[in-house]
Each structure stands twice: as structure tokens, then as C-alpha cells.
Amino acid sequence: MVKWRRHLHTHPELSFQEKETSAFIAERLRELGMEVKTGVGGYGVIGVLKGEKPGKTVVLRSDMDALPIDDGKSCEYKSSVPGVMHACGHDGHASILLGAAAYYSTFGEEIQGEIRFMFQPAEELCPGGAIEMIKDGALAGADVVYGLHLWTPLPLGTAASAPGPLMAATDEFFIDITGRGGHGGMPHVTADALVAGAALVMQLQTIVSRTVDPLQPAVVTVGTIQAGTAQNVIASSCRLTGTVRTFDEHTRVLIRERIERMARTVAETYATEASVRYLSGYPAVVNDGDETARFFRTAPKVFAADQVVLSPKLMPAEDFAYYLREIPGCFMFVGAGNPEKEAIYPHHHPMFDFDEDAMLHGVKLLIEMVASYQNGE
């Protein structure tokens, strides 16, 4: 797994561009003697193992795309692609799933039912790869789906999950304000788009604090504001972009309506106009209650019992959510942080890395989850 992971880390590919990554994974699965399906929902790959014993169909999922970030590490497996790196652990996820495939390939006919090893492209970029894989039949006839994420905020040797909402839904907004530019010394004959934009930034901060139920987690973040060309020129246009994170669908809809209405009314106050482009991204990751209970029964076989913990709700998003809308399943976190190995940086950071020993924990956890499900435990 370490060898596979370091190869993938050295040769990262962005979302929807995972051609060589897909080919590498397909070749490893063929070497294991598996039935291999390629081109699933784009660059998706599925390895299939069918046993002669009757049983249900279990799907194990990994993502495999990288991020548009320069690799800041100094190590033998540093990214060889400028501006692209595996800064979230997807190289480790793919290697864990290959490890699980290698393990099960030694059992052949003894396997109960069917196990699908699903390698999904484009988790990092909406609309994501899960939707297209589902359309291409990745879950057809499947009974349950499991996925995991190496997580450096958790120390090595720990695991976490939670029933119900686990990771947030994510949406994006792009607001363009149009005014009337002019001389910085003659503001009375202009309509300042920058001032309107600045006012809107502050007003958007009131949506969560004054509109959303305090018991419903939500985030509205304005990430960029772009306006103006010179210190003595009043801006004729201003663009704001941001993200929204929620768990509850009612809250999700409410925030969208408030952003759209607030943009229009604040712009009008400053004699400007606003247009809003709102993109609905991934829904919330909602774990099945029974399958999460299975995780809490099963994970102590891999980790110390006191190191299997209930995860808090997390605002990052995951398109694993789409699989959980189709069939029962559980998304799990495997601790991968370790200060002794410099695995201390957050996900999506140029210095990101994880303790590779966590991959062994990950593959053991998947194996135990499959065994528990197929044995009806």
C-alpha cells in the first residue's frame, strides 16, 4: 500500500482528469485476477469479486483525485506535477482499497455474495463523480456501501463516525453588483459598487445569527471580494463569492432565499443592481443508523475500544452523500495524524501528509465491516 500510495502521490491528477490514475488502478486490479470495469461515470474504476457462496453485495468506495495546490514537502514522493498534489489523502484511500482488493483476491470462491471495489473520480470538484457513477450502474443490485477518510485531526490509532448527519451540504454563490463608476473626488455622480459590496458582506453575516435556528449548524462564508482598479476611481462593478454549509434541507433552502433577497435589497439601497448565481453542491452525508451501529461494534476489533469515538458534525463536504441516498451505508474516519512524522498539517494544506501506518488500520476496518455485514453480525 505504501508503494502504491507514493506512486499516486508523485503523479497526482485533478478532478475529471484522472486518466493515468484510473489506468494504474485498473492494472493493479487485473493483476489480482479481478473482473474490472473502466470508464464508469468518467474515469471511475470498479473491481468485482463474486464468490460461489450466496450472500449480499457490498460496495467499498475510494476517491482518487488531487487538488490544485503546490506540494510544499521535501520527500522522495513529492508531487512531480507543478501546482497539483494529493493534499487530502485520496492517494491513501485508493491504496487502502487496493489493499482490501488484494486481501480478498486470495479467498476466491470462499467469498460470500459479491464485493465491489469502487474507485471514484472527482470528489473534490462539484458536481463530483458519484452522481455519474450511480447513473452508470455502480450501485445496481448493491445492498450496502462503506467508505472511509484518513483524517489527520485524529491521531493515529483512532477511528470515528456518527449516525445521521455527519458532514455538511455545500453550496456556492457568486454575486455581481453593477453600479456607475467615476472619479473618486466626485462620488455624488456615481453609484459605488464597492461600497454596496462591502455593505453586503456585513449584512450576509447576519443570516446565520438572525435567521437560522440556533440549534441548526450553518455557515455562510464570503471568500472573495473583487472591485476597483485604482485608488481614485469609484468602482463600477464588484463581485463577491462564497460558500454555504448546512445539514438541514430547510435551513439550506432558507439561506439561499435570504442571500438572493439580501443581495437585491442591499444593492438597491446603494442605487446599484445585483445578480446572484447560486450553485447547489453536495447534500449532507447522512449515515445509516444500523450501519453506524455496526461500525461501533466492529471498529474495536481494529482499534482500542476507547479509541473508537463519536465524531462531531463536520462542515467539510463529501459526495459520498449521494451513495447514502441510494442504499444504506456508513462513512468513517481513520486517524492519520502523528507529530513524530510531521503529519500535523490540515487537509488541503501545501505541507499535508499523513502517517502511512494509518492505511493498515483502514484496510483492517473495511475488512471487518464487510465480514460483519456478510455474516449478519
Side-chain angles (χ1 to χ4, degrees), residues 177-192:
I177 299 174
T178 304
R180 186 172 63 257
H183 197 290
M186 302 176 65
H188 59 292
V189 296
T190 69
D192 195 332

Side-chain angles (χ1 to χ4, degrees), residues 67 69-70 72 85-88 345-353:
L67 286 156
I69 299 173
D70 270 314
M85 75 169 287
H86 276 289
C88 201
Y345 295 94
H347 293 252
H348 295 209
H349 189 283
M351 293 292 290
F352 175 82
D353 206 350

Side-chain angles (χ1 to χ4, degrees), residues 251-304:
T251 303
R252 191 181 190 188
V253 172
L254 174 65
I255 290 177
R256 175 174 184 164
E257 292 175 347
R258 291 291 293 164
I259 288 175
E260 292 174 339
R261 186 188 314 165
M262 191 173 284
R264 291 193 302 270
T265 55
V266 171
E268 289 173 3
T269 301
Y270 292 88
T272 60
E273 295 181 352
S275 65
V276 180
R277 184 164 66 97
Y278 201 97
L279 300 180
S280 295
Y282 305 156
V285 172
V286 181
N287 275 338
D288 178 80
D290 290 341
E291 294 308 321
T292 308
R294 186 185 309 282
F295 163 80
F296 282 104
R297 293 195 305 270
T298 301
K301 298 179 181 179
V302 179
F303 307 88

Side-chain angles (χ1 to χ4, degrees), residues 324-341:
L324 293 173
R325 286 189 163 191
E326 300 292 324
I327 58 176
C330 184
F331 195 66
M332 305 162 285
F333 292 100
V334 173
N338 187 350
E340 295 180 4
K341 297 184 179 180

Side-chain angles (χ1 to χ4, degrees), residues 35 40 92 98-99 102 144 161 187 212 217 220 263 272 295 327:
E35 175 189 344
V40 184
L98 283 173
V144 72
S161 190
V212 174
V220 176
T272 60
F295 163 80
I327 58 176

Side-chain angles (χ1 to χ4, degrees), residues 20-36:
E20 298 303 322
T21 302
S22 175
F24 175 84
I25 289 170
E27 184 59 28
R28 302 290 81 73
L29 294 173
R30 292 189 184 101
E31 290 172 356
L32 295 172
M34 286 196 180
E35 175 189 344
V36 179

